[in-house]
Amino acid sequence: MSEESGAEQDLPEYPEYAERVLEVAELIPPGRVMTYGDVAEWLEEGGPRQVGRAMALYGGAVPWWRVVRSDGVLLPGHELRAMDHYRAEGTPLREASRASQGHLPRLDMRRARWDGAAAVDDATAGGGAAHPRAPEAHT
């Protein structure tokens, strides 16, 4: 049995796909969001369900509130925690109608959605490998 530092022992091991999903979540700037489908398209692998599963199982240590449903509805069971983050970050919201359940706002997807362009520009400027293309907006 090899001796490892306490820090190394505390680091969780994630499946490779989940690691990649979490890396994308960390790229999303405060006040912006990507859909589950956007993340899958960015990775050029999997789909919205696979991204959602990775976020559900492993996303607690990253800004999970920035990976969202394409309709802008807040994640059930996490609405209030997410809302605190959205308000603190200035994420664009659409006020809820009185007919909507719980009167919670939705994300304003037209204004809040991030296409990843800044991450591509930063990687190119820094000499790093840029992603071949940012995800296209799809709803």
Side-chain angles (χ1 to χ4, degrees):
M1 180 178 233
S2 67
E3 298 222 4
E4 295 182 39
S5 72
E8 288 175 4
Q9 290 176 340
D10 293 341
L11 293 176
E13 289 190 31
Y14 302 128
E16 190 257 337
Y17 185 75
E19 284 280 353
R20 293 176 59 216
V21 167
L22 300 179
E23 287 171 5
V24 174
E26 289 180 324
L27 291 174
I28 304 168
R32 304 299 298 271
V33 299
M34 288 179 89
T35 68
Y36 298 110
D38 291 341
V39 173
E41 188 172 335
W42 176 266
L43 295 173
E44 297 179 340
E45 183 181 353
R49 288 178 190 245
Q50 289 82 6
V51 171
R53 179 83 173 145
M55 290 300 296
L57 293 175
Y58 309 108
V62 299
W64 54 267
W65 58 92
R66 297 181 192 153
V67 181
V68 300
R69 293 172 38 156
S70 63
D71 62 5
V73 171
L74 305 186
L75 184 62
H78 301 279
E79 301 95 331
L80 298 179
R81 287 180 51 219
M83 188 59 63
D84 288 342
H85 291 290
Y86 297 140
R87 288 191 171 126
E89 294 180 357
T91 307
L93 300 170
R94 292 177 46 207
E95 287 307 313
S97 69
R98 293 200 186 278
S100 67
Q101 184 177 5
H103 306 292
L104 285 171
R106 287 183 178 205
L107 293 161
D108 184 339
M109 294 302 292
R110 188 178 54 79
R111 293 175 36 226
R113 198 173 206 162
W114 184 63
D115 66 3
V120 172
D121 294 343
D122 289 347
T124 304
H131 187 276
R133 63 184 166 82
E136 296 182 23
H138 53 75
T139 55

